[in-house]
Amino acid sequence: MNKTILTCTLALCSAGASFAQNVTTYAGKQYLGSGDYNSTSNNNLLDELFSYPLGIAVDNNNRMWVTDQHNIMILDGSLSRIRGGFLGDPTVPGAIGIDNGTATVSRFNTPQGVEVNRNTNDLYIVDTDNALIRKGTQFVNVSNGTVFSTVAGNYSFAGDHVDGLTSAAYFSTPTDIAINSAGEMYICDFGNEVIRKISGGRVSTIAGKPKTSGDAIGAGTDARFYAPTGIFLESDDYMLIADRNNKKIKRLNLKTNEVTEVISSGLNMPSDVVAVNGRIFVADQYCIKVFDGTTLKVYAGQEMEMGYYDGAAKDAKFGLINLFTYRKADSAFYICDQVNNVIRRLTLQDPPSVSFVANKTAVNVSQTVALVSSATRTTSYTWSITPNTYTLQSGSKLTDKDLYVSFSATGSYTVTLVAANSSDKTTVTKLNYINVSNTSNLKPVCDFTADVVTPNNVQTVRMFDLSDNNPTAWQWTIAPATVSYLNATTSTSKNIDVKFNAFGQYSVTLKVTNAIGTDQKTKTNYITVAANANKSLAKSWITLFPNPATDKITVKGIDVIEHVSAIAVNGTTTNLPFSGNEVDLSNLAAGVYFISIKDNAGGLFQAKLMVNP
């Protein structure tokens, strides 16, 4: 472990609004260096004075255990409680030691990795500079002190390597620990350049050659590490290893002891690794990086810039990061920001899921195309179309979720949609997706769509002409006629903006004409203006899962469903059977739909659904 105290000046910035933050300070009062302390055992989270927080773990009750330079603490609700170690100045004589016992009778010397045995809720601690593996009894309540004992190793200032009985074993500056479902322990033995296992009262070396650094894959003693620092169990069969000085993440097969490489480039000084939801997250100096199996990129913090700033993941700054953990209960990482002496919280944001379809992919010049997206976990959209011979229709913008566009030249157009959230983005490109021709001397074929079909009585609804064969005149008819045309549009505009002034259902007819002929289309009861305006279109209240879907969906956010219908992009409405909150999609073809749901209280809800083939 590198104990050099960094004296550089860090930029201090106040946090922005909490709703915009992915990174926040969860516990600790920021300062540089080490040695500060509180003389009280119970402190508010943000008033705690850590001295180099190094390790962190979540117990079965979602409390978090933290190790720092000389203490063992538990983050319990709004308080940080010192459960072991010296209650005082960590730099004075007597602050460190190997003493076992209850609560602050115990002593430690730079405890680091900490893990909880899921079977017992007891914690196990890598006491790094004492070269010991320690145990602390589970937290019951404040009045029951944690009892600490030694479970493996012998005190050695210089460290050594001895396998065998736990009472006879020696370690050398061990840094991290992991525990499998059977209670067996794995130790990242940093000073010995190996991975150790504690099982059945014995210590064994399972990967690496003791006291021999290097960089090699292979089984058992054929493998080589150079300052392994952090470990993480993906399962009882596989372990990830942050091989710090080799700048790699390696995987250890715990059945065969075979070591392979997972991330071999793009890292600077990886100190720890955590796998969540099929992705691998790495603490790499001043940032957290993420690996999706193909690409490694910065997830939070700055690649080579130290600092202290809470905010969006891409803007946040960390000091030197040591170990970190993931708490599933709130989908967040908790990070030991060693230099700033705080615990940082980083919310996990999965990448956006996105797709899109066009209502038609073979069209005429000047014909409007509706590009309709289906996305989850998305906060922003960016469309691009090449070549750029196109026109956005009726206020449509390249940052809208759905796009309405016409093309002024023949040829094939490639469409790209980038969906982003605060931590990541997903790009979907469809090459030569829209094919535009210039067919003349054909009668128009009428079609249209609305961007909202269940508005309230104050919303502006945009309606777009999607007709084939270049109509030159348009006539819109809406029944009943209790509507207002907005934004300089009229009943004879190509596209219209309207507001519905009364509650109920509206039928819409569009008649289109060119020099060859006329066509018209009516969508009966196409627009529903809900009587309960507070509930209509309460999109944030319901969730369709899964989305996209194939054969059925579950509706979350409605207690009792009375009616479900699916409205296609072309306006066709299909009533859907349902049982409880499960809706049957077997009558729907693949495509994009607006799912309209009525509950037993008269509320109307709408959400967009992509149905896969």
Side-chain angles (χ1 to χ4, degrees):
M1 170 185 168
N2 185 348
K3 293 186 181 177
T4 303
I5 296 178
L6 300 180
T7 59
C8 58
T9 300
L10 306 187
L12 304 182
C13 302
S14 61
S18 61
F19 65 83
Q21 294 180 335
N22 297 94
V23 177
T24 55
T25 299
Y26 182 75
K29 183 181 292 185
Q30 191 269 351
Y31 71 95
L32 302 182
S34 65
D36 277 4
Y37 65 96
N38 288 319
S39 58
T40 51
S41 58
N42 300 321
N43 302 289
N44 291 325
L45 286 181
L46 294 177
D47 292 330
E48 185 62 273
L49 289 169
F50 296 104
S51 181
Y52 274 7
L54 297 172
I56 188 166
V58 182
D59 73 6
N60 293 340
N61 302 109
N62 287 315
R63 302 182 183 97
M64 278 177 288
W65 291 92
V66 177
T67 60
D68 75 357
Q69 193 173 12
H70 63 311
N71 287 327
I72 311 298
M73 305 177 183
I74 190 169
L75 308 186
D76 176 26
S78 62
L79 295 177
S80 171
R81 305 181 188 275
I82 296 177
R83 302 294 291 175
F86 182 64
L87 187 60
D89 187 342
T91 65
V92 303
I96 63 174
I98 62 172
D99 306 76
N100 290 314
T102 302
T104 54
V105 170
S106 61
R107 295 290 183 270
F108 299 86
N109 190 0
T110 320
Q112 194 162 179
V114 57
E115 185 61 288
V116 171
N117 185 330
R118 296 298 168 188
N119 301 313
T120 65
N121 215 23
D122 296 328
L123 66 147
Y124 290 81
I125 305 138
V126 172
D127 195 356
T128 298
D129 285 353
N130 283 327
L132 300 173
I133 310 302
R134 313 282 290 276
K135 174 186 175 181
T137 55
Q138 63 174 290
F139 180 82
V140 178
N141 53 46
V142 177
S143 59
N144 284 270
T146 301
V147 180
F148 294 94
S149 58
T150 299
V151 297
N154 287 273
Y155 170 74
S156 172
F157 178 77
D160 201 353
H161 180 275
V162 176
D163 282 336
L165 294 173
T166 54
S167 59
Y170 278 80
F171 299 89
S172 179
T173 56
T175 54
D176 202 8
I177 180 172
I179 303 175
N180 68 13
S181 62
E184 298 172 316
M185 289 176 273
Y186 296 93
I187 308 299
C188 185
D189 199 350
F190 176 94
N192 280 315
E193 314 282 3
V194 295
I195 305 299
R196 314 281 287 278
K197 181 178 181 179
I198 302 176
S199 178
R202 300 185 67 85
V203 178
S204 59
T205 299
I206 61 174
K209 185 175 180 180
K211 302 181 181 180
T212 305
S213 63
D215 184 14
I217 61 174
T221 56
D222 290 335
R224 295 288 184 275
F225 305 99
Y226 188 11
T229 308
I231 56 177
F232 177 84
L233 283 179
E234 297 176 283
S235 66
D236 282 353
D237 294 335
Y238 291 97
M239 173 193 290
L240 294 172
I241 304 164
D243 194 1
R244 192 187 74 179
N245 287 9
N246 281 321
K247 303 182 180 182
K248 294 180 179 180
I249 301 299
K250 294 178 179 177
R251 178 175 282 124
L252 171 59
N253 184 322
L254 297 171
K255 300 299 183 183
T256 65
N257 294 338
E258 181 82 20
V259 175
T260 55
E261 291 183 352
V262 180
I263 304 175
S264 57
S265 62
L267 297 173
N268 298 304
M269 195 176 74
S271 58
D272 201 10
V273 57
V274 174
V276 182
N277 297 345
R279 295 188 290 169
I280 295 174
F281 296 83
V282 182
D284 192 23
Q285 286 186 303
Y286 318 124
C287 65
I288 301 294
K289 293 181 178 177
V290 61
F291 181 66
D292 62 6
T294 303
T295 303
L296 176 72
K297 57 187 176 183
V298 173
Y299 184 78
Q302 310 304 312
E303 175 85 33
M304 295 298 291
E305 182 181 354
M306 192 188 315
Y308 179 54
Y309 180 77
D310 286 339
K314 64 182 179 62
D315 300 322
K317 292 181 181 179
F318 297 89
L320 187 65
I321 298 172
N322 200 55
L323 303 178
F324 73 119
T325 193
Y326 176 74
R327 188 165 72 175
K328 186 176 181 180
D330 57 347
S331 300
F333 297 101
Y334 291 83
I335 300 162
C336 292
D337 189 339
Q338 174 183 331
V339 167
N340 288 313
N341 289 294
V342 292
I343 304 300
R344 312 288 289 279
R345 181 180 185 270
L346 166 64
T347 54
L348 174 64
Q349 178 73 72
D350 285 330
S353 172
V354 62
S355 60
F356 67 86
V357 295
N359 69 307
K360 291 184 178 180
T361 57
V363 297
N364 262 323
V365 168
S366 301
Q367 181 178 345
T368 300
V369 173
L371 293 167
V372 180
S373 69
S374 175
T376 58
R377 302 185 301 272
T378 300
T379 57
S380 68
Y381 303 84
T382 304
W383 296 87
S384 60
I385 302 173
T386 55
N388 64 357
T389 48
Y390 63 87
T391 301
L392 300 179
Q393 294 295 310
S394 191
S396 191
K397 300 185 295 296
L398 291 174
T399 53
D400 288 345
K401 184 176 181 181
D402 301 330
L403 196 67
Y404 299 90
V405 59
S406 62
F407 302 89
S408 57
T410 61
S412 295
Y413 290 77
T414 293
V415 181
T416 297
L417 174 59
V418 179
N421 58 34
S422 57
S423 296
D424 214 336
K425 63 182 179 180
T426 300
T427 301
V428 177
T429 297
K430 296 187 178 183
L431 296 173
N432 300 324
Y433 183 51
I434 306 296
N435 296 290
V436 180
S437 58
N438 194 6
T439 305
S440 58
N441 299 319
L442 291 177
K443 173 184 171 182
V445 178
C446 187
D447 195 10
F448 63 91
T449 191
D451 64 345
V452 179
V453 294
T454 55
N456 58 40
N457 63 327
V458 297
Q459 280 181 279
T460 298
V461 178
R462 297 184 298 170
M463 295 190 187
F464 299 88
D465 167 45
L466 303 179
S467 302
D468 288 332
N469 301 329
N470 296 330
T472 55
W474 301 265
Q475 180 63 58
W476 295 87
T477 303
I478 301 175
T482 50
V483 298
S484 298
Y485 288 86
L486 306 174
N487 301 324
T489 65
T490 70
S491 61
T492 58
S493 299
K494 177 179 180 180
N495 306 310
I496 59 174
D497 293 352
V498 295
K499 180 167 71 78
F500 295 85
N501 301 320
F503 303 124
Q505 291 186 308
Y506 290 77
S507 297
V508 180
T509 298
L510 174 61
K511 180 180 179 181
V512 293
T513 303
N514 65 14
I516 307 301
T518 297
D519 190 31
Q520 75 176 37
K521 187 170 200 174
T522 297
K523 296 184 180 183
T524 303
N525 297 330
Y526 181 47
I527 303 295
T528 299
V529 182
N532 186 342
N534 290 328
K535 280 195 170 184
S536 73
L537 274 183
K539 295 184 180 180
S540 62
W541 293 3
I542 66 169
T543 301
L544 308 182
F545 181 85
N547 190 1
T550 302
D551 54 354
K552 64 182 62 177
I553 55 172
T554 298
V555 181
K556 298 181 180 180
I558 297 180
D559 291 330
V560 180
I561 296 176
E562 283 197 346
H563 183 266
V564 183
S565 61
I567 305 167
V569 173
N570 64 7
T572 302
T573 300
T574 303
N575 292 330
L576 300 179
F578 61 93
S579 175
N581 280 45
E582 190 173 88
V583 180
D584 184 356
L585 306 178
S586 58
N587 293 331
L588 297 181
V592 176
Y593 296 84
F594 294 100
I595 302 300
S596 182
I597 303 172
K598 181 180 179 181
D599 70 5
N600 62 330
L604 291 174
F605 303 82
Q606 185 189 77
K608 193 175 293 184
L609 174 70
M610 171 73 77
V611 177
N612 289 328

